[in-house]
Amino acid sequence: MEIFVVPAPTDTGAVAAGIVAAVSRSKPTAVLGVATGGSPIPVYEALGRHHLDLSGVRAFALDEYVGLPVGHPQSYAAVIHREVTQRLGLHPENVFVPDGSAPDPHLAAEQFDAAIGRAGGVDLQILGIGHNGHIAFNEPGSALDSRTRVEELTERTRQANARYFASAEEVPERCITQGLGTIMEARHLLMVVSGDDKAEILERALQGPVTPDCPASIMQRHPHVTVVADEAAAKYLSTGPVAVRVAAPSA
């Protein structure tokens, strides 16, 4: 595991985008795992400034709400279209999001998991982390070998996501999420974290015990993990050879 600590939240995006750019340059047909939420957005903004040809790249989203109508502006399909597909010039037919409006969301989850396998697996998976340690929508208690499935959202997660909706009551109660086992099959995990409010859970995830109580802790068992965190988020991490402090990037 390598940890890059940068001064400010905007720097996390620039450093992480450089990693994504390097992967796409070395493999123009790379399969990317893309995430939504506050932490990954600076990555896509910075990646857009690289002006890369990503026409051969395929992308799989981590999760989607269940029950939102097609085209809802806060559905993850809509967010991915705005922030990833359009911004980075990906072909829409190469971008895949779980179908949260499917009549049978459980079947949709199984089909999405199978589609990742048919694509050859994810080369680089972008991740954030929730305040309770969730990655994607794998809430505490999720099995460490879980597959893509329908999951109930905790009240804390719904409250955290309420800022994207008109009211907390509008936040869906269920989602389709890639499982921890699915995520761990990606060849490279790239976690982006910023903010003082994520410092305690980041320390638990990276340096505490591996446990379903902190789903992100499963990353400790992955052979290739990169974490990019700002100084506020990294303040509780122990110093050592695994941590690398870098200067603020120029772009």
Side-chain angles (χ1 to χ4, degrees), residues 6-25:
V6 297
T10 53
D11 301 325
T12 63
V15 172
I19 295 169
V20 179
V23 170
S24 63
R25 288 191 183 103

Side-chain angles (χ1 to χ4, degrees), residues 124-205:
L124 176 66
Q125 176 64 63
I126 300 170
L127 296 168
I129 185 172
H131 292 93
N132 61 3
H134 74 244
I135 51 175
F137 274 136
N138 292 283
E139 301 284 11
S142 296
L144 298 181
D145 61 352
S146 55
R147 308 301 302 180
T148 304
R149 67 198 188 283
V150 176
E151 180 68 285
E152 300 289 330
L153 298 178
T154 66
E155 187 59 28
R156 181 169 186 179
T157 295
R158 293 183 68 242
Q159 290 296 328
N161 288 2
R163 65 188 187 276
Y164 300 115
F165 292 81
S167 68
E169 289 71 27
E170 293 185 16
V171 182
E173 296 181 354
R174 296 194 301 163
C175 66
I176 295 174
T177 181
Q178 287 190 37
L180 295 174
T182 309
I183 292 169
M184 287 288 285
E185 290 175 355
R187 286 176 274 280
H188 184 180
L189 303 182
L190 173 60
M191 175 171 278
V192 184
V193 192
S194 61
D196 179 86
D197 58 323
K198 297 291 181 71
E200 182 177 349
I201 196 61
L202 184 62
E203 189 275 334
R204 283 183 59 198

